[in-house]
Amino acid sequence: MVQMGDPTGTGKGGQSIYGAPFADEIKATLKHNARGILSMANKGPNTNRSQFFITYAKQPHLDSAYTVFGKVIDGFDTLDSIEKVPVDKGNRPLQEIRLRSVTIHANPLAA
């Protein structure tokens, strides 16, 4: 998976749009069951801020611990490119990765 959303670049920064951390919104029907699932990164229950991650593959061990809020429905070539970026021993990319534009659909999780 790739984790993003930290404006400090340290992996420890970023504030929520609410200023303080916000509560989880975990739904049993939303799973980490495919490539391209977007979820909030956190430090434990109800500690969501600005960071999020995108899965490269199924990650069922993350279910019920992280809020799923979207999924990639187009642009898998971009996800493929991000996955191929070399990383250091701490799994940090050796080059900056920046998403320059994103298209948000009204409800990508609707069946």
Side-chain angles (χ1 to χ4, degrees), residues 14-108:
Q15 293 297 317
S16 78
I17 61 171
Y18 308 110
F22 60 94
D24 295 327
E25 297 180 32
I26 295 170
K27 305 219 181 310
T29 56
L30 300 178
K31 308 274 186 195
H32 298 88
N33 60 359
R35 181 174 180 78
I37 300 296
L38 282 78
S39 289
M40 292 303 299
N42 62 47
K43 297 178 185 178
N46 303 311
T47 59
N48 300 290
R49 292 183 170 216
S50 65
Q51 294 187 49
F52 63 95
F53 61 87
I54 306 171
T55 61
Y56 290 146
K58 293 179 183 180
Q59 300 292 330
H61 64 284
L62 301 177
D63 295 344
S64 301
Y66 298 89
T67 300
V68 173
F69 68 90
K71 66 180 180 179
V72 175
I73 59 174
D74 189 28
F76 280 97
D77 55 330
T78 300
L79 190 57
D80 294 342
S81 294
I82 292 170
E83 187 175 16
K84 292 175 184 171
V85 171
V87 296
D88 65 17
K89 292 179 184 178
N91 290 317
R92 297 182 60 79
L94 296 178
Q95 65 189 59
E96 181 179 72
I97 298 172
R98 189 175 292 246
L99 297 178
R100 298 205 184 274
S101 67
V102 175
T103 300
I104 299 173
H105 294 272
N107 190 354

